[in-house]
């Protein structure tokens, strides 16, 4: 894939999540797509119900998302993805993913949903879109004792460079247009 | 619509949410659809990070979902819905919905997603699927000062009786098959 990064728009200390949220808000506001991050799941242990005011959660724990973080609709199609970043320069570690996320992505692909991961190499500030179907063989290999990461050179070949703009910051639907809508 | 309820399978004190979760699990396990309830959104105010153990949320508040509660993929199509119940016998109160949920549903319909509400009349243990496009005129009318509920007689006409089974308990995809896949 070609480099499409404009250094003027480089990531100024924003997390991948913040950049994606900004992009989703851009898509939503402009009537392009309806894609949201799911709320962080929390295991609630104890709640106080003070008189005449809102319930207060007094003890709770972060749980792992049982699915991916983002989903929604674009041109009638179901969109589902997970976003991860790494400080590594030459490969993307697979332990960033969890078994149940991969299982969820496999189920989505079976249902004909558009499913992918957004991978950011923070050091070079590059974001790649990798279709879930290309992630699965590397994941399956890794849990069989194989390599625990995907070389960046391979991601550059089977993945797609995501254009970085001012708005939307991470324009991943451009890649989806190319892959699924011949545009 | 016809009555399809079998009293043997009537709701034995389960909430609508529990019944829908059971149905979604049935769909998931049988490879029929991938539809999940989104986690309850929580506003976290204070977190403790004890040494050598998991972070503990010490103060948090329930937030309102900014979208609907359920979404996912069925036969490649995006599915999005909200579920509500009422003890009323002759009409469904519209104040069960929130402005941002309606806005979200309108955006989903514009993107070509399949969007609806599941309405349970707890007293008669009947569940109706009402397409979002049929809900909007009643909502819009109600915020203009019009009627604040939809008469049950109208829901019986423009909505669809959802079959209640042992598994899946609320087989709403049967109605979707009929409406969107000519089955
Ligand atoms: Mg995540
Ligand atoms: Mg709700």
């Amino acid at each position: 894939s070609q480099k499409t990064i404009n250094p003027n728009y480089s990531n100024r200390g924003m997390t991948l999540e913040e950049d994606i949220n900004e992009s989703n808000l851009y898509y939503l506001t402009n009537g392009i797509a309806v894609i949201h991050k799911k709320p962080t799941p929390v295991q609630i242990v104890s709640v106080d119900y003070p008189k005449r005011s809102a319930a207060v959660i007094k003890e709770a724990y972060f749980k792992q998302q049982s699915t991916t973080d983002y989903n929604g609709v674009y041109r009638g199609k179901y969109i589902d993805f997970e976003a991860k970043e790494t400080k590594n320069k030459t490969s993307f570690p697979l332990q960033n993913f969890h078994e149940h996320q991969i299982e969820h992505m496999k189920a989505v692909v079976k249902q004909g949903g558009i499913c992918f991961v957004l991978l950011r190499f923070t050091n070079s500030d590059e974001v790649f879109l990798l279709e879930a179907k290309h992630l699965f063989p590397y994941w399956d290999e890794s849990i069989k004792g194989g390599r625990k990461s995907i070389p960046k050179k391979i991601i550059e070949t089977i993945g797609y460079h995501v254009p970085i703009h001012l708005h939307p910051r991470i324009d991943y639907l451009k890649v989806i247009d190319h892959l699924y809508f011949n545009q």
Side-chain angles (χ1 to χ4, degrees), chain A:
Chain A
S1 339
Q2 256 190 298
K3 289 228 176 193
T4 47
I5 285 182
N6 183 330
N8 294 327
Y9 301 150
S10 70
N11 175 40
R12 289 151 304 191
M14 293 181 84
T15 65
L16 182 55
E17 181 180 320
E18 287 168 328
D19 280 347
I20 292 171
N21 289 347
E22 187 277 337
S23 305
N24 288 342
L25 186 58
Y26 176 91
Y27 292 145
L28 183 68
T29 319
N30 291 276
I32 295 165
V34 181
I35 299 166
H36 289 279
K37 184 176 189 294
K38 290 174 203 161
T40 305
V42 155
Q43 178 75 49
I44 295 163
V45 176
S46 116
V47 183
D48 259 19
Y49 298 92
K51 274 181 200 164
R52 277 183 280 272
S53 58
V56 190
I57 299 163
K58 298 300 259 178
E59 184 186 354
Y61 298 88
F62 295 102
K63 280 198 300 183
Q64 214 153 70
Q65 194 75 264
S66 61
T67 62
T68 47
D69 274 348
Y70 302 89
N71 74 355
V73 57
Y74 178 52
R75 295 177 166 209
K77 295 283 283 175
Y78 177 75
I79 300 282
D80 192 299
F81 67 96
E82 183 61 42
K84 304 281 189 194
E85 48 194 338
T86 185
K87 286 173 182 166
N88 283 22
K89 290 176 190 179
T90 57
S91 70
F92 206 95
L94 288 161
Q95 70 259 35
N96 278 324
F97 295 96
H98 309 290
E99 181 72 46
H100 49 262
Q101 290 180 325
I102 304 283
E103 272 165 32
H104 170 74
M105 288 193 270
K106 285 180 176 177
V108 165
V109 168
K110 270 192 190 150
Q111 275 300 322
I114 296 177
C115 192
F116 55 89
V117 292
L118 292 180
L119 307 176
R120 178 188 261 166
F121 289 92
T122 51
N123 196 271
S124 58
D125 195 17
E126 290 171 288
V127 178
F128 294 90
L129 185 153
L130 182 65
E131 289 171 276
K133 66 178 181 192
H134 288 315
L135 172 65
F136 300 153
Y138 289 94
W139 174 266
D140 294 344
E141 198 49 40
S142 84
I143 56 169
K144 279 186 226 149
R147 186 176 172 140
K148 305 291 180 223
S149 67
I150 313 179
K152 190 177 176 214
K153 281 208 158 59
I154 291 198
I155 293 171
E156 286 169 344
T157 309
I158 61 177
Y160 294 81
H161 230 292
V162 179
I164 309 293
H165 302 307
L166 202 50
H167 303 294
R169 291 191 54 74
I170 298 181
D171 199 4
Y172 59 92
L173 289 179
K174 275 276 176 300
V175 179
I176 297 304
D177 283 339
H178 169 71
L179 281 171
Y180 293 89
F181 299 99
N182 292 307
Q183 288 184 349

